[in-house]
Amino acid sequence: VAPELEEEWYSFYGQVGLTGQPAHREIHAAAWNRWFAVSAYRVGEPDQRRVAILYAEITERKRAEQELRASDERQAFLLMLSDALRPLADPVDIQATVTQTAMQQFNADRCYYCEIEDGQAIIRRDAAQDDLPSVVGVYPLSSMPIFRAVVDAGRPFVVEDAHTSDLLDEPLRQLCVQLGVISFVDVPVIKNGQPVGVLCITQRTRREWTDVEVELAAETAERTWAAVE
């Protein structure tokens, strides 16, 4: 009936069938992207191992709970970031704090902030996992197609999988794969119609970025620019 369901479902039913103890659980069906509240009871004789199951779809409730939890986490992160930045006066220290805090918040592989000046992307500090090299440096936008694409877009640039994303042309796709930047959120900061910065959060593996994460990245980028200014 539904062969793509996770093993958790069958283990749940099997336990009830074997023990005879009724059970209730909220389970996510990834194949359908739906949540269900499921109650299971033994029916008939024990050796028959029959289980009756009652379902109630609770997808909307779970989504509302997740949105509320995400909102709370967003406010907590922004408050923590503000507290961390308040005593800092040096722009380099600000960028170091932002990138480290954001990398941990997003559970990402790397985070860095670029200042855009005179056609150049300037990375003064970055945060990365221990096995990744630093990308601190000055890069001409003309030689950095990823930054160029983000600046030209003028809005958050979200790639879930560089191997398949239609946002990337073939040379840019190959560059991302070569650099191990498989999934990323790049957020440009635009002031008076001109790009002044880009916040980059990257992953070496495929990742589905939520709307809440993208919005939080955009807010972080704006606060970084304001603090540096």
Side-chain angles (χ1 to χ4, degrees):
V1 175
E4 69 274 24
L5 285 180
E6 294 81 1
E7 179 63 28
E8 178 185 6
W9 290 77
Y10 305 111
S11 298
F12 173 50
Y13 300 152
Q15 190 68 16
V16 174
L18 290 172
T19 66
Q21 297 298 316
H24 178 82
R25 186 175 300 177
E26 294 181 354
I27 311 180
H28 183 244
W32 305 329
N33 195 23
R34 294 287 186 272
W35 280 91
F36 295 91
V38 187
S39 297
Y41 313 85
R42 173 187 280 175
V43 293
E45 298 301 318
D47 59 355
Q48 294 178 301
R49 293 182 178 174
R50 291 182 177 175
V51 179
I53 301 160
L54 177 65
Y55 297 88
E57 187 179 348
I58 57 171
T59 304
E60 291 306 315
R61 174 171 69 80
K62 295 296 285 189
R63 286 177 178 169
E65 291 174 355
Q66 290 170 348
E67 289 175 0
L68 180 61
R69 185 163 56 249
S71 177
D72 290 343
E73 291 175 355
R74 174 181 178 275
Q75 292 302 322
F77 168 70
L78 292 176
L79 179 61
M80 177 179 64
L81 184 62
S82 295
D83 289 343
L85 295 182
R86 188 173 296 112
L88 302 179
D90 184 272
V92 177
D93 291 340
I94 290 171
Q95 293 179 30
T97 298
V98 167
T99 54
Q100 186 64 42
T101 305
M103 185 182 74
Q104 294 172 351
Q105 171 68 23
F106 288 91
N107 193 26
D109 289 329
R110 187 196 297 280
C111 179
Y112 54 95
Y113 179 78
C114 309
E115 296 178 32
I116 306 297
E117 295 180 3
D118 301 324
Q120 294 181 320
I122 305 169
I123 305 174
R124 304 188 191 279
R125 286 290 185 273
D126 67 342
Q129 299 299 331
D130 293 339
D131 58 340
L132 291 175
S134 173
V135 294
V136 169
V138 179
Y139 305 90
L141 282 178
S142 59
S143 66
M144 296 298 294
I146 295 178
F147 292 161
R148 185 76 259 173
V150 173
V151 168
D152 289 344
R155 54 179 173 73
F157 200 81
V158 183
V159 169
E160 295 183 349
D161 189 342
H163 294 100
T164 58
S165 175
D166 56 8
L167 294 176
L168 308 177
D169 59 25
E170 195 55 35
L172 188 50
R173 185 189 321 281
Q174 293 302 323
L175 177 62
C176 287
V177 172
Q178 178 184 349
L179 295 175
V181 182
I182 303 304
S183 182
F184 58 90
V185 175
D186 288 354
V187 182
V189 181
I190 309 296
K191 298 298 174 183
N192 299 319
Q194 297 298 319
V196 294
V198 180
L199 179 71
C200 305
I201 304 169
T202 72
Q203 199 83 15
R204 286 175 288 185
T205 56
R206 184 186 187 281
R207 174 169 174 171
E208 294 184 7
W209 303 91
T210 67
D211 291 342
V212 172
E213 288 175 325
V214 175
E215 291 171 4
L216 185 57
E219 178 71 18
T220 302
E222 286 287 340
R223 294 194 178 206
T224 303
W225 175 84
V228 168
E229 287 299 300

